[in-house]
Amino acid sequence: MTYLNDLFIDGTWRPGAQDHRFPVIDPSDGSELTTFAVATSGDCLDAVTAAERALPPWSATPPRERSELLRRCYEILAAEEQTMTDLIVSENGKAHADALAEARYAREFFRWFAEEAVRIGGDFRLSPAGDKRITVTRQPIGVSVLITPWNFPAAMATRKIAPALAAGCTVVLKPASETPLTAAYVIGVLERAGVPSGVVNLVTPAPTAPAVRAMLHHPAVRKLSFTGSTEVGRLLLHEAADNVISSSMELGGNAPFVVLEGADVKDSVAGAMVAKMRNGGSACTAANRFYVHTSVLEEFSSELTAAMADVRTGPGHDPENDLGALVSVAERDKVAALVDTAVDGGARVVLGGGASDGGAFYPPTVLADVTHGSEITRTEIFGPVVALIAFDDVADAIRMANDTIYGLIAYVYGPPGEAMTVALAIDAGMVGVNRAVLSDPAAPFGGMKQSGLGREGSAEGIEEFLEEKYIGSPV
């Protein structure tokens, strides 16, 4: 496969100023796929300058033209879904089915925001006294820095780029160093679709912090959109505060999965397998903590363990495998350490446990007798590990579900009425009631508490890249 593996600044693919490169690794076997250009802080500021220069003509481009460009991107990605799928598997390690699902999900943001680009609204009304007109318009917020993670390297890029461009903003994308090739492919699609020079730029700095700091202190940057850990999000908010940059944050999750008395166990297990094992558990939406009513605990545990045991693990390029590698050996070791600590604290291994010797693989694992409040219930696992916790009283389940700094997503399985009541009591930006997948370009994605600020997708997604302007005039 031929890779795009340079920086993209002002419409040109180029190496970094110091001509340094870093390896991109296939986590299934540790082999080097290629090398990628390292951006200096100067390169990153060049990208910001290019975006600043491109902003006036792009923001003045008719919404229909912006819409049609995004639609062309959707069509290219639809025609090339297998190429993107293979690329995601190669550098991320996830199973083929997960990569294919991401490729399809990623392109939908181009289609959705192609439609939203022509629907940017405003408001007009008379003042209560009837003596003046109140006109409210929305305009592009400006140059936007977009920082994306490795777990969904395509979808997290398109979920930010598409609304920004639809709104009339220009962007600098900084992808995760583990998965730059997918991001470069997305930028290449935009280039082929006809995006003007400077409207989209791609940088991969190392070290990251000084370069990002430099960009956030450039006066042209007016928007930061970040997906990643809460810890890094806090640091970025501090940096953004100096120039009072508008910030959207999609941060960590610690999703509870609550199974109520009277729940359909087979349906609950099927939902648990999706909520836990989608993307191999490496998702901010992944179910982390399983609170199961004692009346159904034995049956749920038995059936879930059997389902986890049937998961086939191996390299993602083999479509027969259900679970691929984690993104790196370091990530695998983090998961292993969490499991070991839980076991040392009294948890019992029902299935799995123990990292493999070759590649960044971790087996499907089920832990029983987990103590609420232990490290594994307070940490985003990001791997194929189920932690089972029993409860007798629904009030206790709600209390434990809310006993976290995070509030991104939760899942509740049980009789519809009671499940809805519990869903309303859980502090999360999204709750699935007898449903295991909530991600949808048409739905507002985001969390409460320390899981983030703002929303992505839906009509709200484009509003993150718009500013309201009030114009008053006499009648």
Side-chain angles (χ1 to χ4, degrees):
M1 181 182 291
T2 301
Y3 302 109
L4 293 171
N5 58 356
D6 280 326
L7 313 179
F8 188 73
I9 299 174
D10 204 14
T12 300
W13 294 96
R14 74 184 212 195
Q18 295 180 346
D19 205 23
H20 293 169
R21 306 188 73 81
F22 64 89
V24 183
I25 303 300
D26 180 341
S28 70
D29 59 11
S31 63
E32 182 178 298
L33 296 168
T34 185
T35 61
F36 206 96
V38 174
T40 64
S41 292
D43 293 321
C44 293
L45 292 176
D46 285 349
V48 172
T49 299
E52 180 184 20
R53 189 165 50 245
L55 180 63
W58 180 248
S59 62
T61 300
R64 178 62 69 194
E65 291 185 25
R66 300 199 298 261
S67 170
E68 289 171 350
L69 183 141
L70 295 175
R71 178 71 192 199
R72 288 195 294 275
C73 291
Y74 166 79
E75 291 169 350
I76 292 170
L77 289 173
E80 299 178 5
E81 71 172 25
Q82 193 56 55
T83 300
M84 176 175 273
T85 298
D86 291 342
L87 190 54
I88 293 169
V89 171
S90 294
E91 65 175 352
N92 173 275
K94 68 179 68 176
H96 181 274
D98 284 330
L100 178 59
E102 182 184 353
R104 291 172 175 171
Y105 178 51
R107 72 180 183 238
E108 287 297 330
F109 287 103
F110 281 126
R111 177 156 67 169
W112 175 262
F113 286 108
E115 296 164 351
E116 290 298 301
V118 297
R119 296 191 177 95
I120 298 172
D123 191 21
F124 173 83
R125 58 186 180 271
L126 284 175
S127 66
D131 60 342
K132 54 184 172 292
R133 295 183 178 91
I134 297 172
T135 303
V136 180
T137 186
R138 292 182 175 88
Q139 64 186 44
I141 196 168
V143 175
S144 303
V145 172
L146 316 177
I147 303 177
T148 56
W150 51 259
N151 61 329
F152 287 96
M156 297 303 95
T158 61
R159 193 162 75 179
K160 296 181 187 299
I161 294 170
L165 267 57
C169 295
T170 56
V171 305
V172 179
L173 174 67
K174 193 218 81 67
S177 59
E178 292 89 346
T179 54
L181 301 176
T182 303
Y185 178 77
V186 170
I187 298 299
V189 168
L190 281 152
E191 181 187 27
R192 285 186 280 153
V195 71
S197 296
V199 172
V200 293
N201 303 272
L202 173 73
V203 295
T204 48
T208 298
V212 172
R213 184 179 301 117
M215 288 192 288
L216 294 181
H217 284 83
H218 191 294
V221 173
R222 298 309 312 147
K223 182 70 185 184
L224 167 64
S225 181
F226 169 72
T227 296
S229 72
T230 296
E231 292 75 17
V232 174
R234 292 190 195 108
L235 297 173
L236 289 171
L237 285 170
H238 279 287
E239 295 291 346
D242 287 342
N243 283 359
V244 195
I245 295 171
S246 171
S247 299
S248 300
M249 295 272 149
E250 197 270 280
L251 305 177
N254 187 10
F257 190 104
V258 180
V259 183
L260 301 171
E261 184 177 14
D264 182 314
V265 172
K266 290 189 182 301
D267 189 41
S268 301
V269 168
M273 288 298 295
V274 174
K276 175 74 263 184
M277 298 301 289
R278 176 175 176 250
N279 216 50
S282 296
C284 56
T285 56
N288 244 32
R289 305 168 286 145
F290 288 77
Y291 299 106
V292 186
H293 193 272
T294 52
S295 64
V296 294
L297 177 61
E298 184 177 350
E299 184 182 1
F300 179 86
S301 175
S302 175
E303 293 198 16
L304 180 61
T305 300
M308 291 283 279
D310 283 342
V311 171
R312 179 171 170 176
T313 302
H317 282 299
D318 183 348
E320 296 298 316
N321 291 328
D322 307 304
L323 177 64
L326 297 179
V327 75
S328 67
V329 170
E331 283 297 319
R332 180 202 68 189
D333 291 347
K334 287 180 186 178
V335 174
L338 279 173
V339 171
D340 291 346
T341 300
V343 172
D344 290 343
R348 177 168 51 89
V349 177
V350 180
L351 177 74
S356 63
D357 293 329
F361 296 96
Y362 196 85
T365 297
V366 178
L367 301 178
D369 304 328
V370 174
T371 301
H372 172 75
S374 61
E375 184 180 2
I376 202 165
T377 69
R378 295 194 175 281
T379 306
E380 193 170 27
I381 299 171
F382 250 55
V385 178
V386 170
L388 293 170
I389 303 151
F391 73 89
D392 287 304
D393 189 332
V394 172
D396 281 340
I398 294 170
R399 176 187 59 78
M400 291 188 291
N402 287 335
D403 184 23
T404 174
I405 64 171
Y406 303 104
L408 182 63
I409 192 170
Y411 305 91
V412 183
Y413 275 72
E418 184 181 10
M420 183 62 74
T421 299
V422 172
L424 291 170
I426 292 178
D427 299 330
M430 303 173 286
V431 183
V433 173
N434 295 324
R435 178 180 169 192
V437 177
L438 294 186
S439 299
D440 190 309
F445 189 104
M448 297 178 177
K449 300 193 283 190
Q450 294 189 38
S451 282
L453 301 168
R455 295 294 183 267
E456 294 187 310
S458 186
E460 290 89 340
I462 197 170
E463 291 174 3
E464 296 288 328
F465 294 93
L466 295 167
E467 287 192 303
E468 284 193 336
K469 177 182 284 186
Y470 155 49
I471 302 171
S473 59
V475 174

